[in-house]
Amino acid sequence: MPGPGATAVAATPEGGTETWDGVTRPRSRGGNARFLTDVIVELGLVPRDRVESAIDAARASGVTPEAALLERGEIDQVALSRAVAERHGLDHLDLTAFNVDMGAANLINNAAARRYDAVPVAFLGDRGLLIAMADPANVLALDDIALMTGYDVKPAVSSREDIAALVSRLTRLDDVVAAATDEAGEDDAEIVDLRESADEAPVIKLVNQIIAQAAEQGASDVHMAPEGGQMRVRFRVDGVLKDTTTVPRRMVAGVISRIKIMAELDIAEKRLPQDGRVGLTIDGRHIDLRVVTLPSVHGEGAVMRILDKSAVVMELDKLGMLEPERVRFQRAFHQAYGAVLVTGPTGSGKSTSLYAALGELNSPEKNIITIEDPVEYEVAGITQLQVHNRAGLTFATGLRSMMRADPDVIMVGEVRDREAAQIAVEAALTGHLVLSTLHTNDAPTAITRLIEMGIEPFLVASAIDCVVGQRLARTLCQHCKRRTILSADVLRDSGFPARMDIEAYEPVGCSRCGGSGYKGRIGLYEVMTVTEEMRKLIINRASADEIAVAAMRAGMRRLREDGLEKVRQGRTSIAEVARVTGTGVAEEY
């Protein structure tokens, strides 16, 4: 057990012979009247000069000094919670090491735990209950928990991240499925007939729980696929699918019917794919779902894309672009005219990059018009058109109309065919700034793809100013990543022609990241600015490889090089970079 003088957030026992139980004791009990920033300095978490700088910045921006320290990356949530515990003279609990009594944790419901950022973690004698809280000064929360549980409560301090991870573990979908099945009765007949107003129907509760847990875990998609009469449910978290639960045979039809009712689809049509959209509110957050039903040979399945505005970073500085790439990209979309393309496979964050660019361009002096399929995020001050193929509003027809609406900036959700590409290129040549996405594997291939669509090479060479290629790689969990040495042999096996070993980090896995070793994602980028040399190559119909070589001579860093730099920085792993980029060209290191 750490002594009273222990200051490390993840303290270990003196001598290392005793297993640490996750509890860090305060230097003195009861606390005293001190500023939290002074405690942070006393614990050696942040030097005094940087704390003073954060206090000045907080005073100017109207936030707390602690928030300013978090924003600057000077301190993390775990270290902050350690300082809060010390200030109040309370124990600090690291819930990744502390043995949580799940019986105690389940005494309050998830909604209350999230509302108070507090959860019971252990029983103290016959009538006592230890509560892990992010804010121990919230006496109202303590009173409410005491009333809800009937126990005498004692506060301790944990980080908001630890508490959120614990709350997400409290409800297991398998338990919800079992409860819904029991509630539906013992009859083996399929549940198909659903009343839309029956809010307490077991199938409705099951669907709501699946969606709520997917949103809570930060999933981008929910996949429901029939398999052997049952339905396999998977969540895509940080770009990787993982099994979550299995819906029993007799509830499958009811679950699909409920999803169709929510998305206002035809529940009687089971032979053709359908797509729809539904808006939900989960824990005060507005969530948009894009629903697609798929009639496979094994039965009807569904995929739900979750669009959570609050979870999307649409600021260029936070996307993960390194300084050289960000400067090139900003210089390109701040021009008065020309075309800027963002390329990559589905789900690589192309639209997010365009929204980030639009966010910088958005001002009363500019008329910005977008056409998208669908409009994923509504932005104030921008006119956004929704593609409606049945009504005749395609990318091409919408672009023609936009050209007559006196735009300064045009954003096209995706260039899918020759007609849309032709209009977009012509718009870029007639004094408009055009932003769009294109499905190619890298930036140089976008040029040859446009030519293959039927656009004349001289038009492509004149119109295209910049192409961004990107991928999304999972970021290493900051709490469990482990320092390692990557040998040149390992780098070469991963496709990097390296000459020397490099220092890096590797994934381990803990409760905060669900055992995966990763939490969140970061972009990998290559930004190709079209030079005069490249324009000549384009006019001569040069190959993508020749254009790539010219782009690298002009300073373009390839995707894998950008990924390797982020491996060096400890933000992702070499295996993750190899996974998302595949084979490619990299300079020798």
Side-chain angles (χ1 to χ4, degrees):
M1 185 69 58
T7 59
V9 174
T12 55
E14 294 180 8
T17 58
E18 181 188 347
T19 301
W20 184 48
D21 61 2
V23 181
T24 303
R25 311 291 182 193
R27 295 176 176 180
S28 61
R29 293 287 178 185
N32 51 51
R34 290 180 293 171
F35 288 115
L36 186 55
T37 47
D38 291 337
V39 178
I40 289 171
V41 174
E42 288 171 16
L43 292 178
L45 300 173
V46 183
R48 171 68 70 180
D49 58 338
R50 296 216 286 267
V51 168
E52 295 294 342
S53 173
I55 292 172
D56 293 339
R59 190 178 295 116
S61 58
V63 299
T64 64
E66 305 84 67
L69 287 168
L70 286 170
E71 177 67 26
R72 292 176 168 206
E74 298 282 3
I75 196 171
D76 61 18
Q77 290 283 358
V78 178
L80 177 60
S81 65
R82 172 70 182 89
V84 170
E86 183 65 36
R87 181 193 182 197
H88 290 280
L90 298 172
D91 290 343
H92 177 266
L93 308 181
D94 185 334
L95 297 183
T96 62
F98 185 82
N99 186 19
V100 176
D101 188 325
M102 298 308 282
N106 280 295
L107 286 175
I108 67 173
N109 59 43
N110 286 7
R114 282 191 290 265
R115 183 165 66 250
Y116 297 131
D117 273 329
V119 63
V121 292
F123 291 104
L124 302 174
D126 293 334
R127 300 303 313 155
L129 196 61
L130 183 64
I131 311 295
M133 309 180 67
D135 179 13
N138 188 348
V139 293
L140 294 177
L142 284 171
D143 287 344
D144 285 355
I145 293 172
L147 286 172
M148 282 187 278
T149 61
Y151 283 83
D152 299 326
V153 297
K154 176 186 176 182
V157 181
S158 292
S159 71
R160 294 184 192 278
E161 289 180 351
D162 276 7
I163 292 170
L166 176 57
V167 172
S168 70
R169 286 172 15 222
L170 293 181
T171 300
R172 294 295 183 189
L173 274 182
D174 289 338
D175 298 334
V176 175
V177 172
T181 305
D182 292 341
E183 192 174 338
E186 299 301 325
D187 188 0
D188 287 336
E190 285 189 353
I191 302 169
V192 180
D193 182 20
L194 292 178
R195 299 187 304 278
E196 192 169 357
S197 61
D199 294 332
E200 297 305 316
V203 171
I204 294 175
K205 286 164 50 175
L206 173 58
V207 172
N208 290 347
Q209 185 63 48
I210 289 173
I211 296 170
Q213 188 149 344
E216 191 175 79
Q217 293 185 13
S220 59
D221 301 87
V222 178
H223 289 247
M224 297 180 170
E227 194 172 87
Q230 298 178 324
M231 179 179 285
R232 181 186 186 192
V233 179
R234 293 180 293 170
F235 292 167
R236 187 180 293 279
V237 180
D238 293 335
V240 178
L241 279 171
K242 62 177 184 179
D243 281 316
T244 305
T245 189
T246 301
V247 178
R249 177 193 299 266
R250 62 196 187 83
M251 299 188 73
V252 170
V255 167
I256 294 296
S257 295
R258 175 58 187 165
I259 292 170
K260 286 182 175 180
I261 288 171
M262 292 170 64
E264 299 183 349
L265 303 178
D266 183 359
I267 62 172
E269 179 56 74
K270 302 178 185 294
R271 301 164 300 171
L272 297 174
Q274 300 183 68
D275 60 271
R277 193 167 184 168
V278 60
L280 302 170
T281 300
I282 300 174
D283 295 332
R285 296 180 297 162
H286 181 72
I287 305 290
D288 278 336
L289 295 180
R290 279 161 42 188
V291 178
V292 177
T293 62
L294 299 169
S296 71
V297 294
H298 299 291
E300 197 171 18
V303 178
M304 293 183 284
R305 166 67 56 89
I306 299 174
L307 301 174
D308 182 358
K309 270 190 180 180
S310 64
V312 175
V313 176
M314 288 191 283
E315 298 177 31
L316 201 58
D317 290 340
K318 297 180 180 179
L319 292 181
M321 276 191 182
L322 299 178
E323 185 69 14
E325 282 72 32
R326 185 169 59 82
V327 169
R328 284 176 166 226
F329 185 39
Q330 283 180 310
R331 189 183 298 128
F333 68 71
H334 278 290
Q335 294 182 138
Y337 56 87
V340 178
L341 301 178
V342 181
T343 72
T346 301
S348 59
K350 300 185 297 296
S351 296
T352 303
S353 296
L354 289 185
Y355 276 114
L358 289 179
E360 286 201 16
L361 294 171
N362 192 6
S363 67
E365 293 80 25
K366 289 182 179 174
N367 180 24
I368 302 175
I369 307 177
T370 76
I371 180 163
E372 306 165 63
D373 183 23
V375 174
E376 293 187 1
Y377 303 104
E378 297 177 9
V379 183
I382 295 178
T383 303
Q384 295 173 277
L385 277 66
Q386 167 79 53
V387 166
H388 198 308
N389 289 316
R390 293 179 186 173
L393 179 55
T394 63
F395 278 114
T397 56
L399 267 169
R400 284 198 192 92
S401 300
M402 290 160 62
M403 291 291 289
R404 296 192 289 270
D406 186 31
D408 296 301
V409 180
I410 294 171
M411 196 268 267
V412 185
E414 182 185 346
V415 172
R416 293 179 178 172
D417 52 40
R418 182 190 182 282
E419 189 177 13
Q422 185 75 37
I423 299 169
V425 166
E426 289 173 358
L429 292 171
T430 53
H432 305 90
L433 177 65
V434 178
L435 308 177
S436 186
T437 70
L438 194 64
H439 281 279
T440 61
N441 287 330
D442 57 19
T445 310
I447 302 297
T448 54
R449 175 77 180 112
L450 287 173
I451 295 173
E452 288 167 3
M453 281 183 173
I455 311 301
E456 290 295 333
F458 72 90
L459 292 176
V460 175
S462 302
I464 306 301
D465 288 318
C466 178
V467 184
V468 179
Q470 70 177 77
R471 297 288 191 279
L472 287 178
R474 291 179 293 172
T475 52
L476 288 165
C477 174
Q478 298 303 306
H479 298 284
C480 67
K481 66 181 183 181
R482 182 169 55 207
R483 196 177 179 191
T484 186
I485 298 293
L486 293 175
S487 68
D489 290 339
V490 169
L491 290 168
R492 282 193 290 271
D493 289 343
S494 298
F496 297 92
R499 293 176 177 172
M500 60 186 70
D501 301 347
I502 66 170
E503 291 185 14
Y505 287 83
E506 62 184 359
V508 176
C510 66
S511 63
R512 291 189 182 96
C513 59
S516 68
Y518 298 95
K519 189 172 184 181
R521 287 193 288 179
I522 190 172
L524 308 182
Y525 301 92
E526 58 182 19
V527 181
M528 183 180 79
T529 302
V530 179
T531 62
E532 285 304 314
E533 178 191 2
M534 293 161 63
R535 294 189 201 281
K536 292 176 183 176
L537 289 172
I538 294 168
I539 291 172
N540 292 327
R541 296 180 180 267
S543 68
D545 288 341
E546 293 175 281
I547 295 171
V549 170
M552 285 189 286
R553 278 201 296 267
M556 182 184 79
R557 177 160 45 189
R558 300 308 303 266
L559 280 168
R560 290 167 67 79
E561 296 174 65
D562 188 51
L564 189 59
E565 183 59 33
K566 282 160 185 168
V567 169
R568 293 174 185 274
Q569 295 174 355
R571 301 168 83 175
T572 189
S573 69
I574 197 72
E576 184 66 7
V577 172
R579 181 183 73 84
V580 300
T581 61
T583 58
V585 180
E587 296 296 327
E588 292 197 356
Y589 288 86

Short mmCIF file of all heavy atoms in Angstrom, two decimals, residues 277 286 288 290 305-314 351-352 355 358 370 372 374-380 382 384 411:
data_model
loop_
_atom_site.label_atom_id
_atom_site.label_comp_id
_atom_site.label_asym_id
_atom_site.label_seq_id
_atom_site.Cartn_x
_atom_site.Cartn_y
_atom_site.Cartn_z
N ARG A 277 -34.09 6.45 -41.96
CA ARG A 277 -33.35 7.25 -40.98
C ARG A 277 -34.24 7.51 -39.79
O ARG A 277 -35.45 7.65 -39.92
CB ARG A 277 -32.92 8.58 -41.63
CG ARG A 277 -31.89 9.36 -40.85
CD ARG A 277 -31.31 10.45 -41.72
NE ARG A 277 -30.25 11.16 -41.04
CZ ARG A 277 -29.42 11.99 -41.65
NH1 ARG A 277 -29.53 12.19 -42.94
NH2 ARG A 277 -28.48 12.62 -40.97
N HIS A 286 -28.32 13.78 -28.88
CA HIS A 286 -29.13 13.46 -30.06
C HIS A 286 -28.33 12.54 -30.98
O HIS A 286 -27.21 12.84 -31.38
CB HIS A 286 -29.52 14.73 -30.82
CG HIS A 286 -30.39 14.44 -32.01
ND1 HIS A 286 -31.70 14.04 -31.90
CD2 HIS A 286 -30.12 14.46 -33.34
CE1 HIS A 286 -32.20 13.84 -33.12
NE2 HIS A 286 -31.25 14.09 -34.00
N ASP A 288 -28.46 10.25 -34.55
CA ASP A 288 -29.12 9.91 -35.81
C ASP A 288 -28.72 8.50 -36.22
O ASP A 288 -27.54 8.14 -36.17
CB ASP A 288 -28.71 10.88 -36.93
CG ASP A 288 -29.52 12.17 -36.88
OD1 ASP A 288 -30.63 12.13 -36.35
OD2 ASP A 288 -29.02 13.20 -37.35
N ARG A 290 -28.83 5.77 -39.40
CA ARG A 290 -29.13 5.43 -40.79
C ARG A 290 -29.28 3.92 -40.85
O ARG A 290 -28.37 3.18 -40.51
CB ARG A 290 -28.00 5.90 -41.71
CG ARG A 290 -28.10 7.38 -42.04
CD ARG A 290 -26.81 7.98 -42.54
NE ARG A 290 -26.08 7.15 -43.47
CZ ARG A 290 -24.85 7.45 -43.90
NH1 ARG A 290 -24.25 8.52 -43.44
NH2 ARG A 290 -24.22 6.67 -44.75
N ARG A 305 -26.08 2.65 -38.97
CA ARG A 305 -24.95 3.58 -38.81
C ARG A 305 -25.34 4.62 -37.77
O ARG A 305 -26.39 5.26 -37.87
CB ARG A 305 -24.65 4.24 -40.17
CG ARG A 305 -23.73 5.46 -40.14
CD ARG A 305 -22.32 5.14 -39.74
NE ARG A 305 -21.68 4.14 -40.56
CZ ARG A 305 -21.00 4.42 -41.67
NH1 ARG A 305 -20.90 5.67 -42.10
NH2 ARG A 305 -20.42 3.45 -42.35
N ILE A 306 -24.50 4.78 -36.75
CA ILE A 306 -24.78 5.71 -35.66
C ILE A 306 -24.02 7.01 -35.91
O ILE A 306 -22.79 7.01 -36.03
CB ILE A 306 -24.35 5.11 -34.30
CG1 ILE A 306 -25.14 3.82 -34.04
CG2 ILE A 306 -24.57 6.11 -33.18
CD1 ILE A 306 -24.69 3.08 -32.79
N LEU A 307 -24.76 8.10 -35.98
CA LEU A 307 -24.16 9.42 -36.18
C LEU A 307 -24.38 10.22 -34.91
O LEU A 307 -25.49 10.67 -34.62
CB LEU A 307 -24.80 10.13 -37.38
CG LEU A 307 -24.69 9.40 -38.72
CD1 LEU A 307 -25.49 10.12 -39.78
CD2 LEU A 307 -23.24 9.27 -39.14
N ASP A 308 -23.32 10.37 -34.15
CA ASP A 308 -23.39 11.07 -32.86
C ASP A 308 -22.60 12.36 -32.98
O ASP A 308 -21.37 12.36 -32.98
CB ASP A 308 -22.81 10.18 -31.76
CG ASP A 308 -22.90 10.82 -30.38
OD1 ASP A 308 -23.38 11.96 -30.29
OD2 ASP A 308 -22.51 10.17 -29.39
N LYS A 309 -23.31 13.50 -33.11
CA LYS A 309 -22.64 14.77 -33.31
C LYS A 309 -21.66 15.09 -32.19
O LYS A 309 -20.58 15.62 -32.42
CB LYS A 309 -23.69 15.90 -33.38
CG LYS A 309 -24.20 16.19 -34.76
CD LYS A 309 -25.04 17.46 -34.73
CE LYS A 309 -25.56 17.77 -36.12
NZ LYS A 309 -26.37 18.99 -36.14
N SER A 310 -22.07 14.77 -30.96
CA SER A 310 -21.24 15.13 -29.81
C SER A 310 -19.92 14.37 -29.79
O SER A 310 -18.97 14.79 -29.15
CB SER A 310 -22.00 14.87 -28.51
OG SER A 310 -22.27 13.49 -28.36
N ALA A 311 -19.86 13.24 -30.50
CA ALA A 311 -18.65 12.41 -30.47
C ALA A 311 -17.73 12.68 -31.66
O ALA A 311 -16.65 12.10 -31.75
CB ALA A 311 -19.02 10.94 -30.45
N VAL A 312 -18.15 13.55 -32.59
CA VAL A 312 -17.37 13.79 -33.80
C VAL A 312 -16.51 15.03 -33.65
O VAL A 312 -17.00 16.09 -33.24
CB VAL A 312 -18.30 13.94 -35.02
CG1 VAL A 312 -17.49 14.30 -36.25
CG2 VAL A 312 -19.05 12.64 -35.26
N VAL A 313 -15.22 14.89 -33.93
CA VAL A 313 -14.31 16.02 -33.90
C VAL A 313 -14.28 16.65 -35.29
O VAL A 313 -13.91 16.00 -36.26
CB VAL A 313 -12.89 15.56 -33.50
CG1 VAL A 313 -11.92 16.73 -33.58
CG2 VAL A 313 -12.89 14.97 -32.11
N MET A 314 -14.76 17.90 -35.38
CA MET A 314 -14.77 18.57 -36.68
C MET A 314 -13.91 19.83 -36.67
O MET A 314 -14.21 20.81 -37.30
CB MET A 314 -16.22 18.89 -37.09
CG MET A 314 -17.00 17.66 -37.47
SD MET A 314 -18.59 17.99 -38.25
CE MET A 314 -19.57 18.45 -36.84
N SER A 351 -15.48 12.71 -44.95
CA SER A 351 -16.47 13.76 -44.71
C SER A 351 -16.09 14.62 -43.52
O SER A 351 -16.29 15.85 -43.53
CB SER A 351 -17.86 13.15 -44.48
OG SER A 351 -18.31 12.48 -45.63
N THR A 352 -15.52 14.01 -42.50
CA THR A 352 -15.11 14.77 -41.31
C THR A 352 -14.03 15.79 -41.67
O THR A 352 -14.05 16.93 -41.20
CB THR A 352 -14.58 13.81 -40.22
OG1 THR A 352 -15.60 12.87 -39.91
CG2 THR A 352 -14.20 14.57 -38.97
N TYR A 355 -15.78 18.64 -43.44
CA TYR A 355 -16.52 19.47 -42.48
C TYR A 355 -15.56 20.35 -41.69
O TYR A 355 -15.88 21.50 -41.36
CB TYR A 355 -17.33 18.60 -41.53
CG TYR A 355 -18.68 18.17 -42.07
CD1 TYR A 355 -18.96 16.84 -42.33
CD2 TYR A 355 -19.69 19.10 -42.29
CE1 TYR A 355 -20.20 16.43 -42.81
CE2 TYR A 355 -20.93 18.72 -42.77
CZ TYR A 355 -21.18 17.38 -43.02
OH TYR A 355 -22.41 16.99 -43.50
N LEU A 358 -14.70 23.18 -43.95
CA LEU A 358 -15.84 24.10 -44.05
C LEU A 358 -15.98 24.94 -42.79
O LEU A 358 -16.37 26.11 -42.83
CB LEU A 358 -17.13 23.33 -44.31
CG LEU A 358 -17.30 22.69 -45.69
CD1 LEU A 358 -18.62 21.95 -45.76
CD2 LEU A 358 -17.23 23.75 -46.79
N THR A 370 -23.61 22.94 -49.99
CA THR A 370 -23.17 21.55 -50.08
C THR A 370 -24.28 20.69 -50.65
O THR A 370 -25.46 21.02 -50.52
CB THR A 370 -22.78 20.98 -48.70
OG1 THR A 370 -23.97 20.69 -47.95
CG2 THR A 370 -21.92 21.95 -47.91
N GLU A 372 -25.11 16.52 -50.42
CA GLU A 372 -24.61 15.33 -49.75
C GLU A 372 -25.65 14.21 -49.82
O GLU A 372 -26.83 14.46 -50.04
CB GLU A 372 -24.31 15.65 -48.28
CG GLU A 372 -23.36 16.83 -48.09
CD GLU A 372 -23.36 17.36 -46.66
OE1 GLU A 372 -22.96 16.59 -45.77
OE2 GLU A 372 -23.75 18.51 -46.44
N PRO A 374 -26.18 10.96 -47.30
CA PRO A 374 -27.12 11.98 -46.83
C PRO A 374 -26.37 13.14 -46.19
O PRO A 374 -25.14 13.11 -46.08
CB PRO A 374 -27.92 11.21 -45.77
CG PRO A 374 -26.89 10.31 -45.17
CD PRO A 374 -25.96 9.92 -46.29
N VAL A 375 -27.13 14.17 -45.76
CA VAL A 375 -26.56 15.25 -44.97
C VAL A 375 -26.33 14.69 -43.56
O VAL A 375 -27.26 14.46 -42.81
CB VAL A 375 -27.49 16.47 -44.91
CG1 VAL A 375 -26.93 17.53 -43.96
CG2 VAL A 375 -27.69 17.06 -46.30
N GLU A 376 -25.06 14.43 -43.24
CA GLU A 376 -24.76 13.75 -41.98
C GLU A 376 -24.83 14.69 -40.79
O GLU A 376 -25.35 14.34 -39.73
CB GLU A 376 -23.37 13.10 -42.05
CG GLU A 376 -23.30 11.96 -43.05
CD GLU A 376 -21.98 11.22 -43.00
OE1 GLU A 376 -21.13 11.60 -42.16
OE2 GLU A 376 -21.80 10.27 -43.77
N TYR A 377 -24.31 15.91 -40.94
CA TYR A 377 -24.28 16.85 -39.83
C TYR A 377 -24.71 18.22 -40.33
O TYR A 377 -24.16 18.75 -41.29
CB TYR A 377 -22.88 16.94 -39.21
CG TYR A 377 -22.38 15.61 -38.74
CD1 TYR A 377 -21.42 14.90 -39.47
CD2 TYR A 377 -22.89 15.02 -37.59
CE1 TYR A 377 -20.98 13.66 -39.05
CE2 TYR A 377 -22.45 13.78 -37.17
CZ TYR A 377 -21.50 13.10 -37.90
OH TYR A 377 -21.07 11.88 -37.49
N GLU A 378 -25.71 18.79 -39.69
CA GLU A 378 -26.20 20.11 -40.07
C GLU A 378 -25.30 21.18 -39.47
O GLU A 378 -24.98 21.14 -38.29
CB GLU A 378 -27.64 20.30 -39.61
CG GLU A 378 -28.61 19.31 -40.26
CD GLU A 378 -30.03 19.45 -39.74
OE1 GLU A 378 -30.30 20.43 -39.00
OE2 GLU A 378 -30.86 18.59 -40.06
N VAL A 379 -24.89 22.14 -40.31
CA VAL A 379 -23.97 23.19 -39.90
C VAL A 379 -24.63 24.54 -40.10
O VAL A 379 -25.10 24.85 -41.20
CB VAL A 379 -22.64 23.12 -40.69
CG1 VAL A 379 -21.67 24.18 -40.19
CG2 VAL A 379 -22.02 21.73 -40.58
N ALA A 380 -24.69 25.34 -39.04
CA ALA A 380 -25.30 26.67 -39.13
C ALA A 380 -24.50 27.55 -40.09
O ALA A 380 -23.27 27.54 -40.10
CB ALA A 380 -25.35 27.31 -37.74
N ILE A 382 -24.54 27.36 -43.38
CA ILE A 382 -24.23 26.68 -44.65
C ILE A 382 -25.52 26.13 -45.24
O ILE A 382 -26.34 25.55 -44.51
CB ILE A 382 -23.22 25.54 -44.44
CG1 ILE A 382 -21.87 26.12 -43.98
CG2 ILE A 382 -23.03 24.73 -45.71
CD1 ILE A 382 -20.82 25.08 -43.70
N GLN A 384 -27.32 23.36 -47.12
CA GLN A 384 -27.02 21.94 -47.37
C GLN A 384 -28.17 21.28 -48.12
O GLN A 384 -29.33 21.34 -47.68
CB GLN A 384 -26.77 21.23 -46.04
CG GLN A 384 -25.52 21.74 -45.32
CD GLN A 384 -25.37 21.16 -43.93
OE1 GLN A 384 -25.96 21.64 -42.97
NE2 GLN A 384 -24.55 20.12 -43.81
N MET A 411 -19.38 22.22 -51.80
CA MET A 411 -18.93 20.94 -51.28
C MET A 411 -19.81 19.84 -51.85
O MET A 411 -21.03 19.87 -51.70
CB MET A 411 -18.97 20.90 -49.76
CG MET A 411 -18.16 19.74 -49.16
SD MET A 411 -19.09 18.25 -48.89
CE MET A 411 -19.59 18.46 -47.19
#
